[in-house]
Every structure is written in structure tokens, then in C-alpha cells.
Amino acid sequence: MLKYLTIKLRIVNLDKFEVIYKENKIKIQDKKRIKKELEGILGAGNVSTEEIDLMAYSKDATLLTMNWTIEGKLAALPDFITWPEKTSEISDILKLANKEKIPVIPYAEGSSVVGGSIPVKGGIIIDMKKFNSILNINDENLTVTVQTGLNGMNLERFLNAKGYTSGHIPQSLYTSSLGGWLAHKAAGQFSTKYGKIEDIVMGFEVVLANGEILNFHPIPRNSTGPQLDKLFIGAEGTLGIITKATLKIWPKPEKRALISYSFSSIEDSFAATRNILREHIYPAVIRIYDDSETERHFEDVEKAKGRIMVVFVCEGNKKLVDLEEEITRLKCEEFNGIDCGERPVEHWFETRFRVTETSSMPPYKIIFDTIEVASLWDNAAKVYHKVLEDMNVLKGILLITAHISHFYPNGVGIYFSWGGVPPKEMTELEFYQEAWDTVINAVIDSGGSISHHHGIGINRSHWMKKEWGNAMKYLSKIKNLLDPNDILNPGKIYSNTWKRGE
Ligand SMILES: Cc1cc2nc3c(=O)[nH]c(=O)nc-3n(C[C@H](O)[C@H](O)[C@H](O)COP(=O)(O)OP(=O)(O)OC[C@H]3O[C@@H](n4cnc5c(N)ncnc54)[C@H](O)[C@@H]3O)c2cc1C
């Protein structure tokens, strides 16, 4: 009986679903033969064309796709799902796909929020989850070498058990992988001290579209010509598939200091945090919440009512942490910060992986999303105010709020959250695109950069020319050189899949 039920549940009629990006799909001739060839490379158990599997890989965590799912719509449909276990197998799949001009989409945990892993042109999904081994840990060098399909939490648990941390703790730690981090140039919550993934990775192996395998060996630094390796970090699977990487690790911190202050304006909170960094003090965590987010996350904190909450975590060697805490407090008080104690930071630790608000809105037909951008300090307040101003007058918008969670002596990453209901005359996608246009244009007009850490995917590709200027022409030429048949994750970065104005 159970067996019968299982079989029944796997039957899906995909014809019943509206597919949003169906116009882009590339028709594959002789699918049966391609499937046989894939099975020849991987074994029959590691290849699927079952409709239930195709459906599972039709979307990523781009929040609009949640609204679509509730309405029985799919973002896009792949043709084959594959689960390779060896680099040589990935190389063979790419050789076949390159010969047949079939799109290939590396797919890790599908937590991209910009459509990075949506198979907009169909093709072969390479699911990286079997690339999950920890290959080596080296205490003397403070490095760990792992396969890139490894889940983030599994990596951090392994390191913690041995007395280390990678220092890379994105909010999606439980649902993302090293490969996805490298592809999207991810940033973790402790990034102000430990750096972003590009600061943490030391070397890696990558398979090119023609199946060739390159190895960039881990080394603390070198002076050996242009840094070709950096080209693959942030390439979102469009230039190669990264199969293993060596990362920096750190001994687990001896002490943690939890600090929070509230400020009367976003400008004062910027001044305090900027001046902490000018002292060469890098709290692992700094998070500024604007007044709306302060109300949302810290409604019980009396001293933060109607104000801007800032939480800090300083960690590391005890003596250094004590000094960092002292200077952090001095700077906050210099800009009239009010000490709110440890509790708000404990609350942040308790809730930092909670994202229930994102899934609670689609059932009410509310479209919710987040857009993170970057700015130098002298433009940061302008970027923040301009985005709020422009979004607040957009028809259908119900909320626009922000927090700032990645800090540099020279600037910040600002993270906007917005929600709204499409006006009658617009489809969900049109409203979503309108909101994205409004935020990104406001950021560009105020001198910011269009993304801090979520990447380009589908959502931002039509602003790439504006962001990169003349350099975009050369980036496209490099793509063409490395992937002349445009098989690697097509429809992203270099394409205008949304067909919006340039
Ligand atoms: C709730 C939530 C919280 C989040 N928090 C953060 C955060 O704090 N910081 C942050 O930076 N991001 C965050 N994100 C975004 C997301 O987790 C990151 O973009 C993450 O890096 C994606 O990893 P993934 O393993 O899920 O990759 P996927 O979504 O599967 O793939 C992402 C991209 O990487 C490519 N890719 C995957 N593996 C490889 C590989 N081995 N080689 C080459 N290309 C590859 C894919 O083709 C795709 O283009 C969050 C997302 C969610 C849903």
C-alpha cells in the first residue's frame, strides 16, 4: 500500500502549470539519446527526467517564486536532473552539453534570491549535493579544504567541533552551500571581522564549459600576474563549476562581548559605527536597524522606542575584545547613543535564522522581497533616504524598511525589505519589476552599487551595463571566450531576461 502511495505521489502533470519563463526555453533534439549519454557518464540512478524532479528544480528562493507556487505557476523547467559525484563526471557532462549546445545550470541548495539557479532556458541541472566531503583540515596553515556542495551548517558544525570557525555565517547557513557562496560572492553575519567569502577563499578547482579542469592552489598571497582565479568568484556559475575549495579558518573566539545602543537618527548611528571602524576596530557583527525595523524586532526595548537600534558583537582574544568593547562604547556615547544592554543582542542571536515573515506574506497575495546594495559612507544616508522616499510613493507598496549589516572603514552594505500588493492593472511580475526598478534606480542616482552580496541572477542583469560601463563589453567577451556556446547558466548576468530598459 505504502509503495503504491509513493508511486502515486510522484505523478505530476506538468502541462497543467503555467511556466513563467517558457519563451526562453531552448528545444533539445533527441532527449532520449541525451539521457542515455548522461546515464553512461553517471549511471542511471544519477539522472532523472521525472516530472516531479523537474518541478523540484524549477525555482530557487527568489521570493516572488513563492507567490507563483501558491498559484500553481512554475518559474522555468529544466530537462534533465543530474547528481554527479566526481569532478571528472562534471567535466564529461560539460563536454557533452557543449557539443550539443545544451544549457547547464549548477544547482546547490537553491537559496539564491535573485533567480541565480532558475533554469530559464531549460537544460541540464547539475545538482552539487553529492560534492559534500571535507577533504582536509590543517591547523598549522589554518585552512580547511572541502567540496563545494557541502551545506554551510554542516561545515560550521564540523569546524566548531574541532575548535574552529570559518567566520562565514550567512542567514541562509542551514540552506546554502560553499559553491553557492562562491558563485554569488556571499557575505555572512560576522563579515565585518572575518571578511566576505572572497576574503576567506584561498584556492579552488573549477571545471570550464569545455570540460577542462583548472586548479588555483591555496596560497596566502602571490604576485603572479592578473588574478585569473578571482574571475570565477561571483560568476554565478556562468564561467565554470567550482568543485572544491580551500578556506581560511580561525580558532573559536575566547570571548564574546554583546553591546547595543540606540540613536536618535540614522545619521548618528552611521557616524558612531564609521568612527569605530576608523579606529581599526572591527566588531564581528554590527547591525543598524532603521526606526521601522527597530520597532519590528525590538518592540520591548524601552530605550529604543522611536529610535535606531544598533547591535554589536566583539569577539576573539579576551584582552582585545575588552579593548574593542571600550572603544565601541566610547564612540557610541560620543554620538549620543543610549546603552540598551546585552538583551537586544541575545534576542538577535535567538532569532537570527528566522525568516518566517517571508513565507507568511504570499498567502495574502503580498509580494515581499529584499534588495541589498552598497555605498561609500559619504553617500550612505542619501541612498537610504532616496530609496525610502521613492518606494513610499510607488503604487501598491505597503512597507519599505532597512538595516545595515556589513561595514567597512569606507562604506556599508544597506539591506532594504519591501512588500506590497500589485495594483489591478499590473501582473505580479510587472509590479515586482517596478519595485526593483525603483530601488535600483534610486541607488544608482545616489551613487551606490546595485548589489552588495546577493548577486545579479535574473533580477539585476539589465543594470550590469550601467554598473560596469565600458568594462561590461570586456566581461561579455571573456564569457564568450570561456563559454562560446553560452551553455553555462544562460539568461543571467549578461542577458536581459526581464526585457527591461537598459
Ligand atoms: C533566508 C535566506 C537568507 C539569506 N541570507 C544570506 C546572507 O546572509 N548572505 C548572503 O550572502 N546571502 C544570503 N542569502 C542568499 C543565498 O543564500 C546565497 O546567495 C547563497 O550563496 C546561495 O547558495 P546556494 O548553495 O543555495 O546556491 P544556489 O541557489 O543553488 O545557486 C546560486 C548560484 O550559484 C551557482 N552555483 C551553485 N553552485 C555552484 C558551483 N559549485 N560552482 C559554480 N556555480 C555554482 C548557481 O548556478 C547559481 O547561479 C539568503 C537567502 C535566503 C533564502
Side-chain angles (χ1 to χ4, degrees):
M1 177 66 178
L2 191 61
K3 190 172 166 209
Y4 174 74
L5 268 178
T6 315
I7 292 164
K8 276 302 250 190
L9 285 172
R10 287 184 67 81
I11 295 171
V12 186
N13 183 356
L14 286 180
D15 295 338
K16 290 202 167 143
F17 293 88
E18 181 187 335
V19 179
I20 303 289
Y21 292 114
K22 63 173 179 292
E23 284 164 32
N24 303 282
K25 195 157 167 40
I26 293 174
K27 193 154 173 49
I28 298 171
Q29 307 298 333
D30 205 353
K31 274 196 192 178
K32 273 195 185 142
R33 176 180 57 82
I34 302 292
K35 187 175 182 213
K36 273 225 144 19
E37 292 201 34
L38 286 170
E39 285 173 350
I41 297 168
L42 300 166
N46 284 322
V47 181
S48 175
T49 49
E50 282 196 45
E51 296 200 317
I52 190 82
D53 291 327
L54 302 182
M55 195 173 159
Y57 292 84
S58 65
K59 66 186 278 296
D60 57 15
T62 304
L63 294 179
L64 180 61
T65 65
M66 224 186 283
N67 297 66
W68 290 340
T69 302
I70 286 176
E71 290 160 21
K73 299 173 187 165
L74 303 175
L77 275 174
D79 298 279
F80 309 93
I81 315 297
T82 65
W83 292 272
E85 293 176 33
K86 297 184 204 136
T87 302
S88 59
E89 291 172 349
I90 293 187
S91 168
D92 287 346
I93 298 173
L94 285 169
K95 281 178 196 157
L96 169 68
N98 204 25
K99 188 173 79 179
E100 304 285 344
K101 300 189 174 45
I102 300 173
V104 173
I105 304 92
Y107 196 107
E109 307 233 350
S111 73
S112 169
V113 282
V114 290
S117 32
I118 296 178
V120 276
K121 297 202 175 182
I124 304 169
I125 293 275
I126 295 194
D127 187 331
M128 295 299 293
K129 287 188 196 66
K130 289 192 175 179
F131 275 69
N132 62 359
S133 299
I134 294 165
L135 304 170
N136 174 268
I137 182 160
N138 187 316
D139 176 74
E140 200 171 352
N141 295 337
L142 278 179
T143 57
V144 67
T145 302
V146 301
Q147 290 186 307
T148 51
L150 184 67
N151 169 271
M153 191 65 212
N154 289 344
L155 170 63
E156 192 57 20
R157 278 201 186 117
F158 166 82
L159 291 175
N160 289 175
K162 297 218 173 290
Y164 305 98
T165 176
S166 75
H168 185 75
I169 316 290
Q171 192 188 32
S172 54
L173 187 69
Y174 288 82
T175 57
S176 61
S177 73
L178 173 57
W181 300 342
L182 292 167
H184 271 324
K185 246 181 140 184
Q189 296 165 334
F190 289 59
S191 74
T192 301
K193 182 181 180 75
Y194 297 97
K196 285 63 192 170
I197 198 66
E198 71 273 19
D199 307 310
I200 296 169
V201 66
M202 297 182 67
F204 55 89
E205 177 180 80
V206 60
V207 190
L208 303 182
N210 64 7
E212 198 175 335
I213 301 165
L214 306 186
N215 267 289
F216 298 106
H217 298 293
I219 207 79
R221 185 184 190 269
N222 53 19
S223 172
T224 52
Q227 286 204 262
L228 186 60
D229 52 341
K230 292 282 185 268
L231 201 57
F232 297 93
I233 310 295
E236 305 188 2
T238 64
L239 300 181
I241 301 186
I242 305 174
T243 44
K244 69 174 178 188
T246 299
L247 306 179
K248 296 176 191 169
I249 54 173
W250 296 92
K252 261 183 27 187
E254 188 185 359
K255 180 175 178 185
R256 253 186 191 161
L258 311 186
I259 306 157
S260 75
Y261 278 82
S262 72
F263 293 84
S264 63
S265 67
I266 204 93
E267 284 75 9
D268 276 355
S269 72
F270 281 4
T273 47
R274 184 168 57 80
N275 277 283
I276 292 166
L277 291 153
R278 278 172 88 96
E279 296 293 323
H280 229 251
I281 300 290
Y282 292 91
V285 178
I286 310 180
R287 298 177 72 85
I288 297 177
Y289 296 85
D290 76 355
D291 50 353
S292 310
E293 294 211 9
T294 299
E295 198 180 324
R296 193 149 86 224
H297 297 289
F298 303 100
E299 57 175 353
D300 299 338
V301 183
E302 213 45 51
K303 288 181 188 169
K305 287 249 171 323
R307 292 171 66 83
I308 307 293
M309 174 62 94
V310 185
V311 301
F312 300 91
V313 179
C314 295
E315 66 174 39
N317 173 283
K318 183 180 172 313
K319 282 188 189 162
L320 291 177
V321 169
D322 290 345
L323 186 63
E324 286 182 356
E325 176 169 3
E326 189 187 325
I327 295 173
T328 300
R329 288 186 180 283
L330 271 175
K331 291 295 170 194
C332 287
E333 280 154 28
E334 199 178 303
F335 293 92
N336 306 314
I338 299 177
D339 187 356
C340 295
E342 289 193 350
R343 184 59 208 138
V345 199
E346 285 165 358
H347 173 73
W348 174 72
F349 267 108
E350 287 155 15
T351 55
R352 68 193 164 127
F353 297 121
R354 199 179 291 164
V355 286
T356 42
E357 61 195 2
T358 58
S359 51
S360 63
M361 300 209 198
Y364 298 101
K365 295 202 176 299
I366 296 175
I367 292 173
F368 179 80
D369 208 3
T370 62
I371 302 180
E372 32 56 60
V373 301
S375 169
L376 287 166
W377 275 119
D378 63 357
N379 275 329
K382 194 167 147 201
V383 169
Y384 167 74
H385 290 299
K386 176 90 171 109
V387 169
L388 259 67
E389 206 178 291
D390 291 1
M391 282 295 270
N392 273 320
V393 295
L394 188 70
K395 208 170 156 193
I397 286 295
L398 300 173
L399 72 95
I400 168 76
T401 66
H403 65 261
I404 295 96
S405 46
H406 302 284
F407 290 78
Y408 310 82
N410 327 88
V412 282
I414 309 179
Y415 191 106
F416 294 99
S417 298
W418 60 269
V421 179
K424 271 203 279 315
E425 65 276 14
M426 278 186 178
T427 64
E428 286 161 334
L429 183 58
E430 282 164 352
F431 175 63
Y432 184 72
Q433 290 170 334
E434 194 81 3
W436 267 84
D437 282 354
T438 305
V439 173
I440 298 292
N441 289 333
V443 171
I444 292 172
D445 289 351
S446 328
S449 169
I450 63 173
S451 178
H452 179 268
H453 59 269
H454 283 166
I456 302 299
I458 302 170
N459 293 19
R460 287 182 169 99
S461 57
H462 55 288
W463 287 291
M464 283 293 277
K465 276 191 194 146
K466 235 181 188 164
E467 177 81 12
W468 283 86
N470 289 354
M472 189 60 209
K473 188 172 65 192
Y474 294 99
L475 192 57
S476 299
K477 283 189 179 182
I478 291 169
K479 163 73 175 169
N480 196 33
L481 178 77
L482 290 177
D483 181 14
N485 295 320
D486 193 22
I487 60 159
L488 274 170
N489 206 5
K492 320 284 167 66
I493 295 194
Y494 322 86
S495 313
N496 189 349
T497 295
W498 270 3
K499 300 190 174 60
R500 304 292 279 178
E502 304 289 308

